[in-house]
Amino acid sequence: MVDYDAAVAAVQDPNADPILLAKIAYENPEFGANVAVNPRCYPGLKRWIAEFGDDRARETLAQYGFTAEAFGGPVQDQEAPSQAALQAAEQQPADAYAADQYAAAQPAADQYAAQQPAAQAAFEEPVATNPYGFTAEQALTTTDQMQIAQIAQCAPELRACIARNPNTYPALIEWLGQLGDPAINAALASRQ
């Protein structure tokens, strides 16, 4: 837990570690407004504060135009399927034609995969689908720690690229390793 004096110093430091700011906002909600206006507070943290912070923090962010709605509504778990998607999957019968097409195409796909070098197949560049404009090239080459944290937060499809970036800071590498994603784990293994 971050002690009070360290929290005060960190929220006033324009070069504060973004991860420390996130920890302060989580552990000490009374500092949420101060964390939100720190120049190193990344968009994902602002979104979290806009949704879960205390009233003062939400009001401060609203003055700057940041609300939970401005970020696309409440934070949702992107890994878990929605209840509506689960119900639709249960009600929809299996498509026999699609299953036959998949089975017919599978030998060709297996032959193609066997021809590809294992390293190349493991590190195919993901398609960036985030609304913030982050690209795989940025995720692989940026040296800006703030931008690395923003990409990890806002562009989950680029996390494997962040794991391969030699400039990614150790705390983020550790967090990426805890996600259990096979592509990220392969990228982390290539760092050693």
Side-chain angles (χ1 to χ4, degrees):
M1 178 148 196
V2 179
D3 72 337
Y4 183 82
D5 293 333
V8 170
V11 297
Q12 293 175 353
D13 181 5
N15 296 316
D17 178 29
I19 303 302
L20 178 60
L21 291 174
K23 185 174 181 176
I24 291 168
Y26 179 74
E27 292 178 352
N28 305 302
E30 68 273 11
F31 284 107
N34 298 21
V35 169
V37 297
N38 187 295
R40 301 278 290 178
C41 182
Y42 54 92
L45 180 53
K46 287 181 182 178
R47 178 180 180 169
W48 185 87
I49 293 170
E51 186 167 351
F52 300 109
D54 64 8
D55 291 336
R56 189 172 139 249
R58 287 196 301 269
E59 289 171 12
T60 300
L61 280 171
Q63 291 172 356
Y64 288 94
F66 293 102
T67 61
E69 291 76 25
F71 285 107
V75 176
Q76 296 177 358
D77 184 1
Q78 295 180 358
E79 302 294 324
S82 68
Q83 192 65 22
L86 290 173
Q87 290 175 348
E90 290 173 358
Q91 294 173 354
Q92 185 177 7
D95 188 355
Y97 176 76
D100 290 343
Q101 292 298 318
Y102 175 79
Q106 194 59 37
D110 291 341
Q111 181 182 11
Y112 176 78
Q115 294 172 351
Q116 299 300 310
Q120 181 183 2
F123 295 123
E124 289 192 21
E125 299 302 323
V127 176
T129 58
N130 65 84
Y132 303 100
F134 292 122
T135 65
E137 180 68 24
Q138 283 176 315
L140 287 166
T141 61
T142 186
T143 58
D144 181 3
Q145 299 300 308
M146 182 70 162
Q147 188 175 46
I148 290 172
Q150 289 174 335
I151 293 170
Q153 176 69 29
C154 300
E157 73 277 10
L158 299 177
R159 288 179 180 157
C161 294
I162 289 291
R164 290 173 39 207
N165 186 330
N167 303 304
T168 301
Y169 52 95
L172 183 54
I173 293 294
E174 183 180 329
W175 179 78
L176 289 169
Q178 294 173 0
L179 295 177
D181 184 296
I184 293 172
N185 290 344
L188 290 173
S190 73
R191 291 177 68 93
Q192 275 101 35

